[in-house]
């Protein structure tokens, strides 16, 4: 069954929205946006390159960090075509099929990133609570299996969302609230019964971000209990400092996500700019900040970057 466009003529297209109150041709917005995407590409690709080439970084923590960088790349590249099309070329129309594909990849990579944050929380839990068993528990085989489960879960859980959306009839307004396609935003334009879509969408969120956030919370409760049992303050501070980068990544990912979910369900009276900024922050901020946070807070990566900069300086 193909989606109805409500008029019976021509392919179904959606109209994407730029930032409310901002002209689409604003080059002062397009240029920073390009810089943001370039920074994201540079940061995450640099992380992947360093982890691949530096044998000192071939540990479980950095393997999970490389998976996080790949998820960040996928999430950002999912929004890149429509964002640049709007702000550079003033092109706001998007075919329904393309919109569904973009929606799928956005939610898929978001679920994958959430799963990676859980795996990194487990890594910190084992490193602090059972340091002597760290190498024997987090083997290469376990990491490979964990990565496979994380990617498979994201692909399978989100797939029915896209399938159900393709069967929905659309009529009336076709103007979306963002510069990209999101599930709840597309459901708003459906003129049929959306109870099944809404119920499965909520179930998918609970099975991914809901369970993930609960698992991360429980992990850190046990980590805090283990850290507080350490006798010397210096060792206690050193143990907890290894979690700062991961905690920052968790907050960077979940705070915009929670804010966006709340405004979608309960903030219909809020101005459109609020919804737009939260959605942009949810999709653009984590991929940009995660490499910066880990580069600054992780001594091994920071040392590697300094060595590269020193070599480049001597060559010049």
């Amino acid at each position: 069954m193909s989606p109805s466009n409500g008029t019976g003529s021509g392919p179904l297209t959606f109209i994407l929205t730029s930032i409310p109150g901002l002209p689409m041709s604003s080059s002062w917005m397009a240029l920073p946006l390009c810089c943001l995407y370039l920074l994201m590409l540079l940061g995450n690709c640099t992380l992947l390159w360093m982890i691949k080439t530096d044998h000192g970084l071939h540990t479980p923590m950095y393997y999970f960090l490389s998976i996080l960088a790949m998820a960040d790349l996928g999430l950002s590249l999912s929004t890149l075509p429509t964002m640049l099309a709007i702000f550079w070329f003033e092109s706001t129309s998007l075919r329904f099929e393309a919109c569904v594909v973009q929606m799928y990849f956005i939610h898929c990579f978001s679920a994958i990133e959430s799963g990676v944050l859980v795996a990194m929380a487990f890594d910190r839990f084992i490193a602090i609570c059972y340091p002597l068993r760290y190498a024997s528990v987090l083997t290469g085989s376990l990491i490979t299996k964990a990565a496979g489960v994380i990617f498979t879960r994201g692909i399978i859980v989100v797939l029915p969302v896209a399938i159900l959306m393709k069967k929905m009839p659309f009529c009336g307004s076709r103007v979306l609230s963002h510069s990209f396609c999101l599930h709840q935003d597309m459901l708003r334009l459906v003129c049929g019964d959306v109870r099944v879509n809404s119920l499965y969408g909520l179930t998918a969120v609970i099975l991914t971000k809901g369970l993930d956030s609960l698992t991360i919370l429980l992990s850190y409760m046990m980590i805090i209990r283990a850290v507080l049992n350490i006798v010397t303050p210096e060792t206690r501070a050193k143990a907890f400092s290894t979690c700062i980068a991961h905690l920052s990544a968790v907050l960077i990912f979940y705070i915009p996500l929670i804010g966006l979910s709340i405004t979608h369900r309960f903030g219909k009276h809020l101005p459109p700019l609020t919804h737009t900024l939260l959605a942009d922050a949810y999709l653009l901020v984590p991929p940009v900040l995660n490499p910066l946070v880990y580069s600054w807070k992780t001594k091994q990566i920071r040392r590697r970057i300094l060595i590269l900069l020193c070599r480049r300086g001597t060559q010049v």
Side-chain angles (χ1 to χ4, degrees):
M1 178 180 177
S2 60
S4 170
N5 62 9
T7 62
S9 62
L12 175 60
T13 59
F14 290 118
I15 305 299
L16 302 175
T17 306
S18 64
I19 297 177
L22 183 70
M24 286 186 301
S25 59
S26 296
S27 58
W28 66 269
M29 183 62 198
L31 195 58
L33 188 64
C34 284
C35 293
L36 204 62
Y37 275 109
L38 287 174
L39 182 61
M40 177 276 301
L41 289 170
L42 179 63
N44 286 288
C45 289
T46 301
L47 270 183
L48 289 171
W49 178 77
M50 284 194 300
I51 293 171
K52 180 181 179 180
T53 57
D54 190 343
H55 292 284
L57 301 180
H58 289 182
T59 63
M61 173 182 170
Y62 296 105
Y63 287 141
F64 287 131
L65 180 56
S66 65
I67 301 173
L68 181 67
M70 286 188 285
D72 281 335
L73 284 170
L75 190 61
S76 294
L77 293 176
S78 298
T79 62
L80 177 64
T82 53
M83 293 282 279
L84 293 186
I86 289 174
F87 290 104
W88 275 114
F89 306 108
E90 303 180 39
S91 175
T92 59
S93 62
L94 187 66
R95 289 281 296 269
F96 171 78
E97 292 79 8
C99 196
V100 171
V101 170
Q102 185 185 51
M103 178 204 70
Y104 172 77
F105 280 111
I106 287 175
H107 292 294
C108 179
F109 281 113
S110 177
I112 290 171
E113 180 157 350
S114 180
V116 176
L117 291 174
V118 173
M120 297 176 82
F122 179 72
D123 170 82
R124 293 298 85 207
F125 167 72
I126 297 297
I128 293 175
C129 298
Y130 304 99
L132 298 180
R133 299 176 57 186
Y134 182 78
S136 61
V137 172
L138 291 173
T139 61
S141 174
L142 180 64
I143 294 170
T144 303
K145 291 177 182 178
V149 169
I150 290 169
F151 276 89
T152 303
R153 186 193 68 161
I155 292 169
I156 292 177
V157 170
V158 181
L159 186 59
V161 175
I163 295 174
L164 289 170
M165 185 61 70
K166 281 188 65 68
K167 298 181 179 181
M168 289 292 99
F170 292 85
C171 54
S173 174
R174 302 177 201 166
V175 180
L176 296 173
S177 304
H178 306 293
S179 305
F180 34 78
C181 301
L182 296 177
H183 180 244
Q184 289 178 323
D185 199 19
M186 294 178 69
L187 275 187
R188 182 176 55 85
L189 305 182
V190 173
C191 56
D193 188 357
V194 298
R195 284 178 295 180
V196 174
N197 297 64
S198 297
L199 181 60
Y200 184 79
L202 180 62
T203 303
V205 171
I206 293 174
L207 290 176
T208 53
K209 282 96 169 186
L211 289 178
D212 291 349
S213 58
L214 182 61
T215 304
I216 292 171
L217 179 62
L218 291 175
S219 297
Y220 271 98
M221 288 174 62
M222 290 184 284
I223 287 173
I224 291 172
R225 186 177 66 176
V227 169
L228 292 178
N229 289 332
I230 298 176
V231 179
T232 59
E234 295 81 7
T235 308
R236 189 185 306 158
K238 183 179 179 180
F240 194 73
S241 66
T242 62
C243 301
I244 292 177
H246 178 255
L247 270 176
S248 301
V250 169
L251 294 176
I252 289 169
F253 179 78
Y254 278 103
I255 288 178
L257 172 63
I258 293 171
L260 181 63
S261 300
I262 291 174
T263 54
H264 263 299
R265 294 190 180 274
F266 308 108
K268 300 185 186 300
H269 61 284
L270 295 174
L273 181 61
T274 304
H275 295 263
T276 301
L277 292 179
L278 281 173
D280 290 346
Y282 162 54
L283 294 177
L284 297 180
V285 171
V288 173
L289 289 187
N290 282 340
L292 299 178
V293 168
Y294 273 94
S295 298
W296 177 253
K297 291 295 183 181
T298 307
K299 183 172 63 176
Q300 291 90 333
I301 295 179
R302 190 167 65 245
R303 185 189 301 126
R304 176 68 172 169
I305 292 175
L306 290 175
I307 291 173
L308 290 174
L309 292 176
C310 291
R311 287 178 180 175
R312 183 63 59 87
T314 55
Q315 290 175 359
V316 173

